[in-house]
Amino acid sequence: MTVLWDTSAVVSFLRADDPHHEDAVACMQCLEKKKGRLIFTNFIVAEVYALLLSRASPQMARQWLKKNPVVPERVTTHIL
């Protein structure tokens, strides 16, 4: 099973004070149990970083970038 986690799910997982934290933790535990693969895109990484900067702290944002074990999938856009 491959799962693309969006920004809100990642932030909920990381922040214990988030109203959806327990659900996000349960989803992660289910993914681990089923040996699933977690995917982020480069855009999700940027959004998570920005939200952690504004809603948590610069330290938490930097720590997440340094310790995030998931290598983001690169997504590109083309402007015509």
Side-chain angles (χ1 to χ4, degrees), residues 1 12 32 48 57 61 67-68 77:
M1 170 177 28
S12 293
E32 287 176 350
V48 169
S57 69
K67 294 187 177 185
N68 172 26
T77 60

Side-chain angles (χ1 to χ4, degrees), residues 3-11 39-51 64-65 68 72-73 75:
V3 177
L4 173 70
W5 262 33
D6 72 354
T7 303
S8 59
V10 175
V11 172
I39 295 177
F40 299 151
T41 68
N42 52 320
F43 293 122
I44 293 170
V45 170
E47 289 176 345
V48 169
Y49 180 76
L51 282 176
W64 181 73
L65 280 180
N68 172 26
E73 300 289 327
V75 176

